[in-house]
Amino acid sequence: MAPGTWHGDWIGQRLPPAPCWRPPHPALRSDAHHNDFGGLPALYLRRAFRLDRPVHRARLHATARGLYRASINGVACGRPALTPGWTNYHRRIAYQTHDVTDLLRPGDNALCAVLGEGWFSGRISEHAKYPAGHYGAQPWYLCQLALDYEDGTHERIVSDQAWRVSHGPIAYSDLLNGEVYDARQELEGWDSPDYDDRSWLAVTTKPRDGTVLEPEISPSVCVTEDIVPTVVLRSAGRLLVDFGQNLAGRVELALSGKSGAAVHIRHGEMVDAEGRIYAANLGRAAQADTYVCAGDGVRRWEPSYTIHGFRYAELTGIENIDIQSVSARVLHADLPVSGRFSCGHPLVQRLQQNIRWGLRSNLQSVPTDCPSRDERLGWLGDAQLFAGTAAAFFDVRQYFAKWLQDIWDAQAADGTIPDIAPFISPAFDFFADGAPGWADAAVVVPWTLWRRYGDTALIARCWQPMMAWMDNLERRFPDGLRRGAGNDYGDWLNLDAPTDVALIATSLYAQIASMMADMASALGRTAERRRFAACFKRIKASFGTHFLQDDARLTSPTQTAYALALSSGVVPTHKRARMTRHLVSEIEARGRALSTGFIGTRYVMAALSENGHADVAYDLLLRKEYPSWGYMIEQGATTIWERWNSYGDGFAEPGMNSFNHAALGSVGQWLFEDVAGLRGVTPGWSEIAIRPHFDPRIDWCEAEQWTPCGPASVRWGFSGGELSVRVNIPAGVRAKVLLPATRDAIRQQGDAPVARTCSLVGRRPSTVASIGSGYYNFMVRL
Ligand code: BGC
């Protein structure tokens, strides 16, 4: 809808901005549910109208400064759960368009909405919501029902002073704290046309201002799966439910109870030694819901505008309540699946599953660090590190395109990029000057999307803000030596192996300079390509002078330093092999284990496998002792932990210890690209490479990746002294196949599913085939 075509006003009910809010009017009934964090009751909004002639087509355009759920005649419009998503609401707000033609009927109709606070005026992170909420003191709703009649005439019903408002059963519903729902306050039939709303209040209105209203481009957060508990433990007055999976979502109950009986639900990722919800790592996110029964039979209920990170739920207060069923509703951005990975080793199989669950939990309205504690922020570092892995599992093209806009909205006039987007001032001012590896998402994410989807229009749109960031860096670090900035997280959460922050910052600077040169070239921006090629050279020279020694050691000789240097193009070719040996020695010195934090973990496996040490990478992958991904799994992890030592002889320091952090799951990209061996060569994957690193310890491996032309897949496996590699290449894609030279080289196999065969016999040292679309089967005799 074009900007000028909105006609309604924002509607709501003005509420006093007091921490302990009490209803100002008897119609806004909410007897006991004021609360000490200032959560507001949800608003129930309705507008009755008559249709006196047949409707050909009807569209509802709707949004909120807050979160809304719209319905017509009691039927929900669409199935989004937390809508609209989080943006800088002062600048832009996304709206949704629902086809509601089938929901209307001749005669009386009711257009309704339930309005909650969400990020607009609810709590965000650890910051208190008051005095004014982060974006405003109360939520507002805006909608427009566009009616096209069969007789060719048109009509609009918009949000305006004709609407009525009341409070209802949702006493408050806060993203972090949870919801209180009092079924005794339900407004029976409130969303049907014949409901008598004369006792309701008139809404207050607020004119639209210059805030951009734009169609939502990213898939909304929805319920994507329901999970039934694996274990339910009952003890006096208490039910402990284990869903067997750490996730982001909420609990749905079917229950009945005496009027006034209340069940309280606490959510946690872990339980303590006494079998109680472990809440110490949640900070000030209460993650607690309350349902008060109305005493009128079995009801099914889930909260509305809250989301929790949990595997366990503890229900108390159930003495007078019959809980008939409990399930977990999984919530995240409803992204299309774009890839699958599986293999013959149970640990690795579980790892890829945990990575996927880590992504599902953190690809929320914005990519978050974790879905549980009082943080849940769009940390740029985490997202840029897992962007490649996310793109392997899900189609994130629109998702990240939306979040990039959040980054640009957060960018300062001098080009500075913060650590977090969406960014709120003054609450987040401490994070305004983005740290290396965090702010660099501004280049890494557009580059990742462009490589994956081949969308040059996207990088053209991002060009100006990316340039502003690069100009900023060049102004600050003209000689290419980047000394770090902002909070300088360095190799965040490494294991007693801190890396010189300037070394990390300079390597990452080289990395983004070369990405900029690539993108300039794709956009035909020759002068800028030259500029960034020269910038890269300068950085590489500085890196050589300041950090690189003659024997290919680095001045800060950590695993992360070596892995990052090898991956950033700053190491001269003749020093790469030696440097890789230093990396391997560092790993061996730790007992063949990692000491890497967020940054190093993203690069270390590929640095090994691409430089001839895939065996060491496999050792790390298959390791079960601390520290390793396998260790997390051995401890029962169903997602990726924030720290290698989140749990050991007890819980790690609770201030910052989530069990569902996606960052260390960045190894997923390596599983697809180097274990399965499937990666794009050209932007948009018109050409791909099949280059697996085989290891009999995992027996077989299979992966599929959707290219813009269709699915490409690889399956390799060992059997009877042979290694077979099956490849499927979609139409319009070419593939280079790189297989190891073996004693007997490679022979083709002509069994049934093979559509084409290639002769690869006798090519050494590595065997390469260049193939077009079709099914292929290669055999390597071992
Ligand atoms: C978050 C991280 C984030 C970091 C910045 C933490 O509290 O959870 O994942 O990147 O802060 O260092």
Side-chain angles (χ1 to χ4, degrees):
M1 213 159 56
T5 53
W6 280 96
H7 294 273
D9 288 328
W10 292 98
I11 58 173
Q13 179 57 240
R14 219 177 290 278
L15 304 166
C20 286
W21 183 81
R22 282 188 173 77
H25 187 281
L28 305 176
R29 48 206 153 115
S30 171
D31 40 57
H33 298 302
H34 45 85
N35 45 72
D36 58 10
F37 70 93
L40 300 179
L43 295 181
Y44 290 70
L45 298 157
R46 59 173 269 126
R47 159 83 151 90
F49 62 98
R50 265 192 84 73
L51 290 175
D52 53 12
R53 52 200 194 280
V55 171
H56 166 63
R57 193 176 84 140
R59 299 278 183 279
L60 177 70
H61 310 284
T63 190
R65 286 176 155 143
L67 297 171
Y68 79 92
R69 230 173 34 213
S71 63
I72 291 183
N73 301 328
V75 179
C77 306
R79 58 181 192 99
L82 297 174
T83 303
W86 186 10
T87 52
N88 177 347
Y89 301 117
H90 295 314
R91 290 215 179 173
R92 70 188 69 248
I93 303 176
Y95 68 84
Q96 293 70 43
T97 297
H98 307 281
D99 181 347
V100 294
T101 316
D102 293 342
L103 304 187
L104 297 169
R105 55 195 193 206
D108 291 329
N109 287 268
L111 177 57
C112 300
V114 182
L115 181 63
E117 295 198 90
W119 297 274
F120 186 79
S121 62
R123 283 196 51 212
I124 293 177
S125 177
E126 59 189 355
H127 303 283
K129 58 178 282 193
Y130 283 99
H134 289 284
Y135 296 95
Q138 62 167 90
W140 298 90
Y141 181 59
L142 178 73
C143 76
Q144 182 157 314
L145 176 64
L147 299 165
D148 300 338
Y149 291 104
E150 281 182 5
D151 63 8
T153 59
H154 309 282
E155 193 183 352
R156 282 188 293 268
I157 293 170
V158 301
S159 46
D160 57 16
Q161 69 292 341
W163 286 61
R164 311 287 290 169
V165 61
S166 172
H167 289 162
I170 301 179
Y172 66 78
S173 195
D174 179 83
L175 288 166
L176 285 106
N177 275 11
E179 174 167 321
V180 171
Y181 187 96
D182 186 346
R184 296 169 304 175
Q185 306 291 340
E186 280 175 1
L187 309 157
E188 214 194 315
W190 75 278
D191 48 6
S192 62
D194 48 5
Y195 182 79
D196 182 356
D197 61 17
R198 277 174 301 179
S199 66
W200 287 30
L201 292 182
V203 292
T204 47
T205 62
K206 186 178 161 107
R208 276 170 295 110
D209 52 23
T211 311
V212 174
L213 295 168
E214 56 189 20
E216 182 155 72
I217 61 164
S218 174
S220 302
V221 171
C222 290
V223 173
T224 61
E225 189 179 347
D226 287 302
I227 294 192
V228 293
T230 50
V231 181
V232 178
L233 293 174
R234 199 177 273 273
S235 54
R238 172 173 172 266
L239 215 57
L240 181 71
V241 183
D242 178 0
F243 292 100
Q245 176 61 56
N246 203 354
L247 57 92
R250 47 208 188 199
V251 165
E252 185 185 66
L253 300 178
L255 75 173
S256 64
K258 283 211 300 224
S259 175
V263 53
H264 306 286
I265 313 164
R266 293 171 70 222
H267 306 73
E269 299 180 286
M270 301 287 273
V271 283
D272 63 20
E274 280 75 51
R276 298 266 163 187
I277 293 284
Y278 178 69
N281 68 334
L282 301 176
R284 276 173 280 178
Q287 295 213 131
D289 302 333
T290 297
Y291 179 89
V292 185
C293 298
D296 56 356
V298 179
R299 305 292 288 275
R300 185 169 283 279
W301 169 80
E302 72 169 291
S304 290
Y305 302 125
T306 188
I307 180 165
H308 311 305
F310 66 102
R311 167 177 169 167
Y312 301 92
E314 183 188 63
L315 280 58
T316 52
I318 52 175
E319 292 81 358
N320 297 315
I321 296 180
D322 177 21
I323 305 285
Q324 303 205 336
S325 76
V326 186
S327 59
R329 313 216 76 193
V330 180
L331 284 175
H332 52 84
D334 193 12
L335 303 168
V337 168
S338 73
R340 294 181 216 285
F341 177 96
S342 51
C343 75
H345 195 293
L347 192 83
V348 182
Q349 185 61 16
R350 182 71 230 191
L351 172 63
Q352 71 84 27
Q353 215 172 307
N354 289 6
I355 294 170
R356 203 167 175 278
W357 270 106
L359 292 168
R360 289 179 74 187
S361 308
N362 284 294
L363 294 171
Q364 293 297 334
S365 173
V366 301
T368 56
D369 52 340
C370 59
S372 34
R373 71 159 172 260
D374 55 353
E375 204 154 350
R376 310 180 184 190
L377 298 172
W379 283 99
L380 272 66
D382 305 45
Q384 69 100 345
L385 294 168
F386 66 62
T389 299
F393 282 104
F394 299 105
D395 178 348
V396 289
R397 181 175 175 162
Q398 293 297 97
Y399 180 79
F400 276 121
K402 178 268 172 189
W403 185 60
L404 282 168
Q405 188 58 58
D406 297 332
I407 297 181
W408 309 142
D409 285 344
Q411 187 173 30
D414 69 353
T416 301
I417 299 280
D419 291 333
I420 297 169
F423 184 83
I424 306 169
S425 186
F428 296 162
D429 282 359
F430 181 64
F431 306 112
D433 187 6
W438 272 252
D440 300 329
V443 175
V444 177
V445 174
W447 183 86
T448 305
L449 296 185
W450 165 63
R451 294 292 307 175
R452 180 85 202 187
Y453 306 108
D455 184 354
T456 42
L458 176 113
I459 50 172
R461 279 200 304 280
C462 296
W463 193 252
Q464 186 274 328
M466 288 195 293
M467 285 295 285
W469 172 232
M470 296 307 287
D471 288 344
N472 177 298
L473 286 175
E474 250 181 304
R475 274 197 306 276
R476 282 196 280 172
F477 312 111
D479 57 357
L481 175 67
R482 186 181 179 193
R483 282 174 213 85
N487 291 312
D488 261 345
Y489 307 110
D491 185 29
W492 189 242
L493 301 183
N494 66 79
L495 290 175
D496 296 324
T499 305
D500 178 355
V501 172
L503 187 154
I504 293 180
T506 305
S507 309
L508 293 171
Y509 188 16
Q511 195 183 76
I512 59 174
S514 102
M515 289 174 173
M516 288 298 285
D518 279 1
M519 290 189 280
S521 167
L523 293 175
R525 294 178 168 272
T526 317
E528 282 135 320
R529 183 190 58 72
R530 275 199 223 104
R531 170 182 155 185
F532 289 114
C535 173
F536 172 80
K537 263 184 147 172
R538 209 163 47 242
I539 302 166
K540 184 173 175 178
S542 270
F543 186 91
T545 314
H546 291 92
F547 308 115
L548 185 56
Q549 298 170 348
D550 288 345
D551 59 357
R553 273 180 211 283
L554 291 169
T555 50
S556 179
T558 61
Q559 296 175 14
T560 290
Y562 288 124
L564 187 56
L566 286 163
S567 309
S568 307
V570 287
V571 183
T573 315
H574 69 279
K575 288 194 170 166
R576 290 180 70 84
R578 259 183 112 178
M579 184 174 284
T580 312
R581 284 200 294 280
H582 297 318
L583 169 60
V584 172
S585 310
E586 287 303 319
I587 292 169
E588 268 159 7
R590 294 263 173 169
R592 285 228 149 187
L594 289 173
S595 61
T596 51
F598 279 21
I599 302 263
T601 304
R602 161 71 180 83
Y603 299 103
V604 68
M605 303 294 263
L608 289 165
S609 56
E610 282 171 16
N611 293 288
H613 292 275
D615 56 327
V616 180
Y618 269 101
D619 289 350
L620 297 168
L621 178 70
L622 301 175
R623 184 183 164 92
K624 290 183 179 169
E625 302 76 31
Y626 171 78
S628 64
W629 294 281
Y631 172 77
M632 298 180 192
I633 293 166
E634 291 285 294
Q635 301 296 315
T638 57
T639 39
I640 301 289
W641 295 349
E642 179 168 18
R643 301 164 177 269
W644 295 113
N645 59 353
S646 284
Y647 187 81
D649 298 330
F651 294 103
E653 188 270 310
M656 229 189 58
N657 188 26
S658 102
F659 290 85
N660 199 355
H661 239 69
L664 295 179
S666 63
V667 66
Q669 188 171 348
W670 180 78
L671 294 178
F672 279 93
E673 293 184 349
D674 293 272
V675 175
L678 187 52
R679 66 169 73 200
V681 173
T682 51
W685 290 43
S686 53
E687 190 179 329
I688 62 175
I690 310 286
R691 194 186 56 167
H693 293 281
F694 305 100
D695 194 308
R697 285 176 287 178
I698 68 165
D699 196 26
W700 60 268
C701 172
E702 185 171 326
E704 193 169 32
Q705 289 280 268
W706 273 258
T707 76
C709 294
S713 65
V714 178
R715 187 189 203 285
W716 61 259
F718 291 89
S719 128
E722 287 191 328
L723 167 66
S724 75
V725 183
R726 285 164 185 263
V727 175
N728 177 27
I729 310 297
V733 173
R734 287 204 66 76
K736 272 198 186 112
V737 182
L738 292 96
L739 300 174
T742 66
R743 204 159 23 90
D744 291 329
I746 293 166
R747 68 177 172 78
Q748 64 199 44
Q749 190 194 37
D751 66 6
V754 179
R756 312 245 181 109
T757 56
C758 292
S759 174
L760 297 172
V761 178
R763 305 246 187 102
R764 287 164 191 264
S766 71
T767 308
V768 180
S770 182
I771 55 179
S773 69
Y775 288 94
Y776 301 83
N777 196 2
F778 304 105
M779 297 298 293
V780 181
R781 200 171 308 134
L782 301 169

